[in-house]
Amino acid sequence: MLAADKLLLESRIARGAVYLKWKEFGLYHLNLTTVGTQAVVMAGFSMTALIEFAPSPDADRALLFLFWTSNMVSLACNILCVATTTMLSVYGSSLSTRGAAGSMNRAVDGLY
């Protein structure tokens, strides 16, 4: 009887620890999706600037080069951010729910 009570207590503690890790995972997942959404909006602004910007013919070439270069770097970084946050969200969710024992801890540490 004592061994059964000990086993029951250990399983309840393990279940509580996994539940806390799941809540922490949910927080990190929400943060990642928020960052990804913001990066998509910023990438949209960069694309709009690339499409809609019409410089005057007498504009300084160095400033135009700086504008186009910084806009392309911004667009590339935003797309990289979107891809990374999407990959982390998908792979983290998959690892946490379908992984072996202890995979929830690995998923939460990886998202952090």
Side-chain angles (χ1 to χ4, degrees), residues 7 14 24 56:
L7 213 61
E24 189 177 1
S56 65

Side-chain angles (χ1 to χ4, degrees), residues 8-80:
L8 178 66
L9 182 61
E10 286 176 352
S11 68
R12 283 184 181 167
I13 290 173
R15 186 180 66 183
V18 168
Y19 178 72
L20 287 175
K21 282 293 183 181
W22 181 254
K23 287 184 80 163
E24 189 177 1
F25 176 82
L27 172 70
Y28 292 146
H29 189 283
L30 181 66
N31 290 344
L32 279 175
T33 55
T34 302
V35 168
T37 303
Q38 291 172 353
V40 165
V41 169
M42 295 301 290
F45 289 153
S46 294
M47 278 302 293
T48 302
L50 283 174
I51 294 169
E52 297 292 328
F53 181 67
S56 65
D58 59 340
D60 186 22
R61 291 178 58 113
L63 286 178
L64 286 176
F65 177 77
L66 184 64
F67 170 76
W68 294 115
T69 304
S70 63
N71 200 0
M72 289 304 295
V73 167
S74 171
L75 181 63
C77 289
N78 284 318
I79 290 173
L80 177 67

